[in-house]
Amino acid sequence: MSETRFRIFRYQPEVQEAPYVADYTLPAGHGAVMLLDALLLLKEQDESLSFRRSCREGVCGSDAMNINGRNGLACVTALKDLRQPITVRPLPGMPVIRDLIVDLTGFYRQYRAVRPWLIDAGRVPDVERRQSPAERARLDGLYECILCACCTTSCPSFWWNPERFLGPAALLQAYRFLEDSRDQATGERLDDLEDPYRLYRCHTIMNCTDVCPKGLDPARAIGGIKARLAARRL
Amino acid sequence: MRLPVGAYASILHRASGILFLPVVAAGLVLWRTARTSRAGFHAVGSALTSPAAHILGPLAVWVAAQHLFGGIRYLLLDSDIGFGRARSRSTAAIVIAAALVAAGIAGWLWP
């Protein structure tokens, strides 16, 4: 394996006035297969390089970053698929805490706003809340979201209205609970979503679907919410 | 940020929507002038065969085609047709290519 070149966004807001891009090189035969492996090797060269990571297998969503201009998870992005120099930046549109670490407070605030839990005001059942296999199958493609924020931070509508537009990840979760046969708050959820900004800032650009590392389709889920709202009007 | 082809289709849909307004206005002015008198009709005829019209005409066709095809794509998406990564990419590319083909045909056939 030949040497691998990187251009990595660096910024420490407490001590640096402006961000910059630093060049790094891993020597031939470094052995890294995925981008996260390479970043860990680079961190051995320069221990001040900062990024989040945890499970290293595309489950936790911690190492979401902008890789050669496209959001993705470093741990499931193969080096051999990337054009060099590999440019790594933090997720776009979010305040940088340090280097590749961004502040996701706004993202989680929008996630909480859709009340991503089962709402059932009735009596707690003696047994589990049951679903038929068909009802359960309606949640496929919705529940697998790992909240990595790749979709929301690639959405131009979210860049422009991060305070008011919920963003694709939160809307995917909103639809997940609208589709859940056990949830009793469909009407309230739709009332909350029927808003020119919270939902209808989505202009079906579909960057979200394009970047989702789990292969989910938030744009379709948002379309599903719009269809439910339209059906309710009719 | 590297944008996917769907993002370009979205940007072009909005840009062509803005450009569509002066295109429609110019079309209405030409139509009214051509209906006013025989001289007006000939003036519009010579304007449409001028060198500038050979550029502006196909450009106007591109604007209309881009907005129309893009709009059809969005209507189909609203009907739950065309979602998914591969499909959305291919339909976006088809919309952009079809509008360019329409403009090319207009340029080829322009008198």
Side-chain angles (χ1 to χ4, degrees):
Chain A
M1 184 186 289
S2 59
E3 68 172 26
T4 311
R5 290 171 294 120
F6 297 85
R7 305 200 75 218
I8 300 181
F9 176 99
R10 302 296 312 268
Y11 187 38
Q12 294 182 41
E14 319 85 59
V15 292
Q16 291 164 345
E17 280 191 12
Y20 64 98
V21 175
D23 292 320
Y24 293 91
T25 304
L26 280 179
H30 54 71
V33 177
M34 297 295 179
L35 176 60
L36 180 61
D37 304 330
L39 290 174
L40 290 168
L41 290 174
L42 291 175
K43 193 169 173 66
E44 288 176 10
Q45 286 181 21
D46 177 356
E47 64 180 16
S48 69
L49 177 63
S50 302
F51 51 90
R52 289 192 180 109
R53 79 274 187 266
S54 182
C55 76
R56 57 103 182 103
E57 55 189 18
V59 174
C60 71
S62 303
D63 59 349
M65 51 190 75
N66 188 267
I67 305 158
N68 278 355
R70 182 182 159 84
N71 289 355
L73 301 179
C75 59
V76 294
T77 302
L79 286 176
K80 67 178 174 56
D81 296 334
L82 297 173
R83 188 186 299 173
Q84 291 192 46
I86 298 165
T87 304
V88 185
R89 294 177 178 275
L91 290 174
M94 293 291 186
V96 173
I97 295 173
R98 178 167 167 160
D99 296 341
L100 303 175
I101 300 172
V102 293
D103 182 357
L104 289 170
T105 304
F107 172 77
Y108 289 123
R109 185 173 54 242
Q110 300 295 35
Y111 174 58
R112 280 195 299 273
V114 303
R115 296 189 288 169
W117 53 81
L118 211 59
I119 298 175
D120 181 356
R123 194 175 66 84
V124 176
D126 296 330
V127 295
E128 67 271 23
R129 293 178 170 89
R130 288 181 176 151
Q131 285 185 303
S132 69
E135 288 169 339
R136 165 61 188 78
R138 295 177 69 84
L139 305 182
D140 287 342
L142 304 174
Y143 78 92
E144 299 95 330
C145 175
I146 58 173
L147 295 175
C148 63
C150 281
C151 60
T152 296
T153 57
S154 70
C155 173
S157 299
F158 189 79
W159 298 339
W160 296 322
N161 293 287
E163 299 293 331
R164 294 192 282 183
F165 177 51
L166 289 170
L171 288 168
L172 180 78
Q173 289 308 303
Y175 191 58
R176 177 246 177 276
F177 285 95
L178 287 171
E179 283 294 299
D180 196 317
S181 60
R182 301 163 296 179
D183 192 87
Q184 303 296 311
T186 301
E188 285 172 47
R189 291 183 188 278
L190 289 174
D191 289 343
D192 288 343
L193 290 166
E194 193 163 26
D195 178 88
Y197 279 91
R198 275 199 289 276
L199 171 69
Y200 289 106
R201 279 298 100 179
C202 170
H203 296 305
T204 329
I205 298 167
M206 292 202 278
N207 282 8
C208 52
T209 299
D210 202 76
V211 299
C212 178
K214 304 300 283 184
L216 306 180
D217 195 347
R220 185 174 210 159
I222 294 169
I225 298 172
K226 289 176 179 173
R228 275 179 170 261
L229 285 167
R232 191 168 75 155
R233 288 267 172 197
L234 300 171
Chain B
M1 186 78 192
R2 203 177 73 218
L3 296 176
V5 66
Y8 287 107
S10 175
I11 292 166
L12 288 172
H13 185 63
R14 278 146 190 82
S16 61
I18 293 167
L19 292 172
F20 200 46
L21 197 67
V23 165
V24 170
L28 287 173
V29 167
L30 289 172
W31 187 54
R32 197 183 68 174
T33 308
R35 284 168 50 91
T36 312
S37 65
R38 184 182 292 266
F41 182 83
H42 288 299
V44 169
S46 57
L48 289 177
T49 51
S50 68
H54 281 86
I55 296 168
L56 294 175
L59 188 66
V61 170
W62 173 80
V63 165
Q66 179 66 47
H67 202 67
L68 175 69
F69 298 152
I72 291 170
R73 176 172 178 261
Y74 286 120
L75 285 174
L76 289 172
L77 286 169
D78 284 343
S79 309
D80 200 28
I81 298 168
F83 279 112
R85 187 179 296 179
R87 270 195 196 171
S88 66
R89 278 184 188 166
S90 56
T91 55
I94 288 168
V95 162
I96 293 170
L100 289 172
V101 167
I105 291 172
W108 183 47
L109 296 176
W110 204 266

